[in-house]
């Protein structure tokens, strides 16, 4: 914890000491940040991510990536970058594990549906929901006044999870806190520059981009939906670069086209671009070599760029901003654009997503109509204590957001009597 202050390790609620240890047990040597990591690792909200969509839905493929496996990968990548730069690795690791626990059923598609359903109570955003779970909803710490403190993480770890450290505004679509959670947000941001992310949060965000870009393409190749031959085709390169410029990068199309050429020139990429993935042992080894080399390339680029600007001393919190080599940032944008073109925009997927949004809208409506009986016991006290329709709607949205993909389908069927096909479509694997 060298370099971190007493304020960084402070918790919103000062917890009493544990009373279950043996009489002669040695004093615990874990740091507050290591305890935070353990709290996230063992919490139910993290486990639920195993049943929530990453790119393909749980159960769609033999070994799909889910929100949980994605979070584990983000934590590992971020931890390595953080250690190289001098951050406490447990802070970055905790941020990687926790960054997606606010995601609802069906991933970003479900996020869109719940945002529309929650208009009357201020909307829905996965990152704001993450803060709400960490500081209020997850049943771990209860104050003497009956107030829930969630996991009651340290200030530094909560700040490291804050990818968008500002409330909702009309100009910026992404945000990290609902109006009703501004008090705890003000506490965790005490002393932080307004609107600026700490270095650990920036590392987590880059690790998220790296994991998303590389692993989603890997999954697309394994499922037969992405061929790296596209990077070797001049016409396809331009289309991919255009999508990258439109959705993931401020670089011009020409620069992104050049990044695509650089990618396909890398030996590990060129090997797979020269032939289709046939599912053989050799092909799978080649694909794993590609993902390993790309993750290493992208992670080291962040370390190199940051060290070139700030020198070799330990960096943490607000000592520095993460600097990513522009060439590598463009390469990541190109890979994300490939997943968008060949996976996200598949017509079958888009049709299934429409059904998912309709299911969640109907589910919110029917739970709202039948609450509090339709709510889990965990949420019934909040419903009964709510003083307005907006507050009651927020409780229902909290309940629905908690569900896994399968639970959302099951609840919808049980409460409406309708059988839904709102799952990800099945695709043949390579």
């Amino acid at each position: 914890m060298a370099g971190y202050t007493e304020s960084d390790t402070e918790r919103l609620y000062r917890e009493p000491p544990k009373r279950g240890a043996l009489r002669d047990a040695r004093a615990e040597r874990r740091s507050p940040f290591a305890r935070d990591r353990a709290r996230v690792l063992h919490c139910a909200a993290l486990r639920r991510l195993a049943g929530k969509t990453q790119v393909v839905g749980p159960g769609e493929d033999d070994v799909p990536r889910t929100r949980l496996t994605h979070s584990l990968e983000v934590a590992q990548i971020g931890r390595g970058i953080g250690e190289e730069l001098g951050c406490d690795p447990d802070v970055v690791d905790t941020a990687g594990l926790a960054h997606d626990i606010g995601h609802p059923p069906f991933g970003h598609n479900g996020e869109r549906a719940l945002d529309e359903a929650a208009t009357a109570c201020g909307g829905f955003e996965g990152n704001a929901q993450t803060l709400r779970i960490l500081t209020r909803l997850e049943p771990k710490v209860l104050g003497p006044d009956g107030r829930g403190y969630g996991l009651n993480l340290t200030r530094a770890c909560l700040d490291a999870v804050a990818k968008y450290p500002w409330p909702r505004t009309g100009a910026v679509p992404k945000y990290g806190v609902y109006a009703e959670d501004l008090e705890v947000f003000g506490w965790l941001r005490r002393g932080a520059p307004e609107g600026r992310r700490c270095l650990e949060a920036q590392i987590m965000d880059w690790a998220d981009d790296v994991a998303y870009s590389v692993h989603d393409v890997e999954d697309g190749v394994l499922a037969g939906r992405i061929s790296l031959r596209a990077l070797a085709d001049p016409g396809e390169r331009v289309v991919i670069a255009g999508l990258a410029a439109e959705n993931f990068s401020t670089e011009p199309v020409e620069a992104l086209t050049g990044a695509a050429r650089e990618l396909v020139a890398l030996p590990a990429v060129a090997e797979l671009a020269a032939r289709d993935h046939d599912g053989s042992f050799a092909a799978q080894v080649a694909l794993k070599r590609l993902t390993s080399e790309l993750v290493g390339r992208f992670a080291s680029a962040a370390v190199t760029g940051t060290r070139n600007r700030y020198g070799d001393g330990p960096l943490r919190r607000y000592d520095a901003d993460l600097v990513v080599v522009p060439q590598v940032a463009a390469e990541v944008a190109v890979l994300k654009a490939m997943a968008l073109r060949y996976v996200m925009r598949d017509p079958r997927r888009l049709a299934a997503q429409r059904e998912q949004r309709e299911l969640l809208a109907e589910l919110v409506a029917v739970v709202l109509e039948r609450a509090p009986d339709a709510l889990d016991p965990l949420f019934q006290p909040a419903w009964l204590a709510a003083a307005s329709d907006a507050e009651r709607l927020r409780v229902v949205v909290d309940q629905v957001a908690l569900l896994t993909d399968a639970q959302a389908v099951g609840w919808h069927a049980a409460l409406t009597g309708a059988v839904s096909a709102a799952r990800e479509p099945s695709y043949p694997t390579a």
Side-chain angles (χ1 to χ4, degrees), residues 241-256:
L243 284 174
E246 180 182 348
N247 295 278
F248 306 116
S249 177
T250 58
E251 294 291 326
V253 172
E254 295 77 12
L256 291 160

Side-chain angles (χ1 to χ4, degrees), residues 108-183:
H108 289 293
N109 189 46
E111 186 177 27
R112 173 182 166 187
L114 287 187
D115 186 40
E116 294 175 358
T119 299
C121 64
F124 180 89
E125 211 285 337
N127 294 279
Q129 194 70 15
T130 291
L131 177 64
R132 191 169 175 83
I133 289 170
L134 293 176
T135 61
R136 182 195 294 252
L137 298 180
E138 181 67 19
K140 168 67 176 175
V141 176
L142 186 68
D145 59 353
R147 172 182 173 179
Y149 288 85
L151 295 181
N152 199 35
L153 302 182
T154 61
R155 177 179 281 112
C157 282
L158 281 175
D159 199 23
V161 181
K163 185 184 289 192
Y164 306 108
W166 50 78
R168 186 172 197 167
T169 66
V172 182
K174 305 298 289 183
Y175 58 96
V177 58
Y178 301 128
E180 56 264 44
D181 297 319
L182 283 172
E183 181 181 354

Side-chain angles (χ1 to χ4, degrees), residues 148-385:
Y149 288 85
L151 295 181
N152 199 35
L153 302 182
T154 61
R155 177 179 281 112
C157 282
L158 281 175
D159 199 23
V161 181
K163 185 184 289 192
Y164 306 108
W166 50 78
R168 186 172 197 167
T169 66
V172 182
K174 305 298 289 183
Y175 58 96
V177 58
Y178 301 128
E180 56 264 44
D181 297 319
L182 283 172
E183 181 181 354
V184 69
F185 179 76
W187 174 85
L188 79 90
R189 293 288 293 172
R190 186 182 301 164
E194 184 175 356
R196 182 183 172 194
R197 298 179 299 172
C198 64
L199 178 60
E200 293 86 346
Q202 294 178 53
I203 292 171
M204 174 271 289
D205 193 20
W206 177 244
D208 189 18
D209 273 354
V210 171
Y212 166 33
S213 62
V214 176
H215 295 140
D216 288 0
V217 168
E218 178 189 4
D219 286 350
V221 171
L222 283 170
R225 294 182 239 173
I226 293 177
S227 171
L228 292 173
R229 290 178 184 271
L231 290 176
D233 182 285
E236 277 297 288
R237 274 203 302 262
V238 172
V239 174
I240 293 167
L243 284 174
E246 180 182 348
N247 295 278
F248 306 116
S249 177
T250 58
E251 294 291 326
V253 172
E254 295 77 12
L256 291 160
T257 303
R261 282 196 300 268
E262 290 288 332
L263 270 175
V264 79
L266 296 173
V269 181
E271 180 182 356
L272 282 173
R275 59 186 175 90
D276 289 326
H277 188 280
D278 60 8
S280 66
F281 188 86
Q284 294 197 43
V285 168
L287 181 59
K288 187 54 64 178
R289 180 165 57 248
L290 176 146
T291 59
S292 177
E293 291 195 11
L294 288 182
V295 168
R297 175 182 176 86
F298 298 160
S300 64
V303 174
T304 298
T306 306
R307 285 301 186 195
N308 286 344
R309 179 173 298 181
Y310 294 100
D312 294 331
L315 303 171
R316 59 188 73 86
R317 299 288 279 143
Y318 294 95
D319 292 340
D321 289 311
L322 193 71
V323 180
V324 178
V325 176
Q327 168 67 30
V328 163
E331 292 171 2
V332 166
V334 165
L335 291 178
K336 291 166 76 173
M338 290 188 73
L340 177 63
R341 175 162 172 75
Y342 302 114
V343 180
M344 310 294 188
R345 292 189 173 177
D346 184 288
R348 292 168 295 177
R349 179 183 177 85
L350 295 177
Q353 287 183 332
R354 284 192 296 272
E355 293 181 358
Q356 291 166 357
R357 292 193 297 273
E358 291 169 2
L359 180 148
L360 288 182
E362 292 173 1
L363 183 56
V364 169
V366 71
V367 173
L368 187 63
E369 179 184 346
R370 301 189 186 184
D373 292 342
L375 297 168
D376 279 338
L378 181 69
F379 291 101
Q380 290 178 2
W383 169 275
L384 295 173

Side-chain angles (χ1 to χ4, degrees), residues 44-45 47-52 58 104-106 359-360 363 367 376 398-415 422-423:
R47 293 196 299 275
R48 287 190 189 96
L49 296 184
K52 297 192 180 188
F106 310 123
L359 180 148
L360 288 182
L363 183 56
V367 173
D376 279 338
D398 285 340
Q399 169 73 86
V400 173
L402 197 72
L403 303 176
T404 65
D405 294 8
Q407 285 175 327
V409 173
W411 275 47
H412 179 269
L415 291 173
R423 299 174 181 269

Side-chain angles (χ1 to χ4, degrees), residues 381-399:
W383 169 275
L384 295 173
S388 67
D389 288 344
E391 290 181 7
R392 284 184 281 274
L393 176 58
R394 177 60 69 190
V395 175
V396 169
V397 171
D398 285 340
Q399 169 73 86

